[in-house]
Amino acid sequence: MNKIKATAIAHPNIALIKYWGKRNDELKIPTVSSISVTLDNLYTKTTVEFNEKFEEDKFSLNDKTVTGGVVLKRVIELLDLIRKHSKKNQFAKVVSENNFPDAAGLASSSSAFAALTMAGCNAIGYGINKKEMSIIARQGSGSACRSIFGGFVEWKKGKKDDGTDSFAEQIADEKHWEDFRIIVLIVNPKEKKIKSTEGMKISVNSSELYEAWIKASENDAGKIKQYLLEKNLTETGKIAEQNCLRMHSVMISSDPSLIYWNPETVTLIDKIQAMQSNGLDLHFTIDAGPNIKIICQEKDVEKILNCLEQAPFIHDFVVCSPGKGAEIVDDHLF
Ligand code: DP6
């Protein structure tokens, strides 16, 4: 019997310089380069088995079989891509688990498609390097190409039409800046209304601020890299915060308007700004959801959490350090 199985763990990443829009929707080629940090503590673990006896692809997430819908479609499309590249033609069983809520603006698709790509390529015996894996993961979900690598990562937008030069590269590994912290505050673990894929299409087609966003983003990406290498929290955080607010300006100015924040998000921004005025070196970033991620240093985590104690609407929080890239592990999920 020809049966091959592999398991990978990948961590989500949080963009400091955001990706919001594609120049090729099908190949997921972005309009701008983006820069992220891969997080430890949060993860997706995925086991893939290809088997000539299987009659269709099967996928389960967090102990639930997924029988239809866009998520299953995207998983099958990624498996098809792996089959096409490896020139092998077996169906797969995919079992996946996250240790954090899906689709709450926590970039769960980044760890999901990075883990699926790495486990899938290994299970089918398709030996490729991380750059090539990043190109495959990108086609599952753009941000996933960054989670193949650990630490601080740049996804270069590339120039070619076929997307072969649009992949992620490590700027500095997870040990480079050991006291860098991201505190993920979960204010609303429910699924977001308009998913990123749909939302960014709307923005590209309708926001008058979109061209200005591209220009400012290139500038932000150039500057932040140097500050990351210098471990300059104040400047890194300032640029990340501005870049995030510009992305949300693009979202809000889209037609229909995309407002991912809720009242708690705004209350938290207000609290963070008050802490900044009191001299604390902290900054925030927000993705396509209401949750806020605080960028700070280890020495300030406790003070920040104490200041946030009077915010009863925070359901949960996770303190993360820069984490490792996707990797193969031995213990399978089935
Ligand atoms: C706001 O990678 O989820 O988190 O490529 O369509 O799957 P698709 O989108 P996705 O978008 C992430 C958008 C973001 C910003 C970022 O992570 O850079």
Side-chain angles (χ1 to χ4, degrees):
M1 185 168 63
N2 188 2
K3 172 175 143 180
I4 28 187
K5 192 192 270 191
T7 300
I9 285 188
H11 301 275
N13 66 74
I14 298 295
L16 303 173
I17 303 299
K18 307 292 186 189
Y19 146 55
W20 192 252
K22 304 176 179 72
R23 68 178 162 90
N24 181 321
D25 286 323
E26 207 186 316
L27 293 173
K28 297 194 171 56
I29 307 175
T31 54
V32 296
S33 297
S34 53
I35 293 178
S36 60
V37 54
T38 304
L39 306 179
D40 67 351
N41 288 336
L42 306 173
Y43 65 82
T44 301
K45 184 174 179 183
T46 298
T47 300
V48 180
E49 176 183 332
F50 286 95
N51 192 318
E52 59 194 10
K53 293 202 167 150
F54 293 162
E55 286 169 1
E56 58 179 353
D57 290 321
K58 288 219 161 95
F59 173 52
S60 82
L61 175 61
N62 296 333
D63 289 330
K64 283 194 200 104
T65 304
V66 181
T67 49
V70 68
V71 177
L72 180 66
K73 185 171 167 270
R74 284 174 79 163
V75 167
I76 293 176
E77 280 169 3
L78 196 83
L79 292 169
D80 283 341
L81 202 61
I82 294 172
R83 284 186 279 255
K84 187 178 124 196
H85 280 288
S86 64
K87 301 189 175 67
K88 291 188 184 149
N89 226 348
Q90 296 166 6
F91 286 114
K93 176 175 172 182
V94 178
V95 174
S96 202
E97 61 179 38
N98 289 334
N99 73 338
F100 57 96
D102 302 332
L106 276 174
S108 60
S109 66
S110 64
S111 50
F113 284 98
L116 178 62
T117 301
M118 187 164 276
C121 289
N122 270 271
I124 214 163
Y126 182 47
I128 51 171
N129 62 28
K130 283 194 154 193
K131 171 186 145 183
E132 290 160 322
M133 266 190 210
S134 161
I135 292 175
I136 295 182
R138 185 199 80 219
Q139 292 169 76
S141 180
S143 54
C145 76
R146 299 185 306 234
S147 277
I148 294 289
F149 296 92
F152 297 91
V153 179
E154 177 173 18
W155 171 13
K156 299 198 184 255
K157 64 179 177 171
K159 289 194 177 111
K160 294 187 185 167
D161 288 341
D162 64 1
T164 51
D165 61 349
S166 182
F167 51 82
E169 269 177 3
Q170 191 173 61
I171 298 172
D173 72 14
E174 61 276 12
K175 299 216 167 64
H176 162 68
W177 194 348
E178 287 191 325
D179 58 355
F180 182 96
R181 292 290 178 276
I182 288 215
I183 310 175
V184 179
L185 301 174
I186 302 177
V187 298
N188 187 349
K190 283 193 216 119
E191 285 211 19
K192 60 194 172 204
K193 283 176 244 153
I194 299 188
K195 302 224 188 261
S196 304
T197 310
E198 200 46 46
M200 54 180 87
K201 260 192 223 168
I202 295 173
S203 292
V204 171
N205 291 328
S206 66
S207 170
E208 282 188 8
L209 304 183
Y210 201 76
E211 286 306 313
W213 148 256
I214 293 182
K215 220 168 137 199
S217 244
E218 310 251 296
N219 196 23
D220 290 342
K223 280 196 285 186
I224 209 170
K225 257 194 274 182
Q226 192 54 36
Y227 291 130
L228 285 172
L229 290 172
E230 289 167 6
K231 301 186 225 177
N232 183 331
L233 199 269
T234 311
E235 294 304 325
T236 297
K238 260 195 208 163
I239 297 175
E241 202 172 290
Q242 279 167 358
N243 184 271
C244 149
L245 290 172
R246 280 201 210 96
M247 177 181 74
H248 283 274
S249 309
V250 166
M251 292 163 161
I252 291 167
S253 60
S254 300
D255 183 11
S257 182
L258 304 166
I259 303 177
Y260 287 105
W261 299 357
N262 60 20
E264 289 81 7
T265 316
V266 180
T267 304
L268 279 174
I269 293 177
D270 196 47
K271 279 186 184 291
I272 290 167
Q273 287 181 338
M275 287 189 252
Q276 287 171 338
S277 308
N278 286 333
L280 263 177
D281 199 2
L282 82 165
H283 306 270
F284 64 85
T285 187
I286 310 166
D287 290 309
N291 294 324
I292 291 206
K293 290 98 184 178
I294 292 177
I295 301 161
C296 63
Q297 289 168 94
E298 210 256 312
K299 66 177 177 60
D300 294 323
V301 168
E302 218 178 296
K303 266 183 255 165
I304 294 168
L305 290 175
N306 283 341
C307 291
L308 292 174
E309 252 177 18
Q310 309 91 330
F313 51 80
I314 298 177
H315 290 252
D316 208 353
F317 67 87
V318 193
V319 182
C320 298
S321 306
K324 291 200 271 186
E327 59 185 355
I328 291 292
V329 294
D330 289 335
D331 51 327
H332 302 307
L333 287 171
F334 64 92

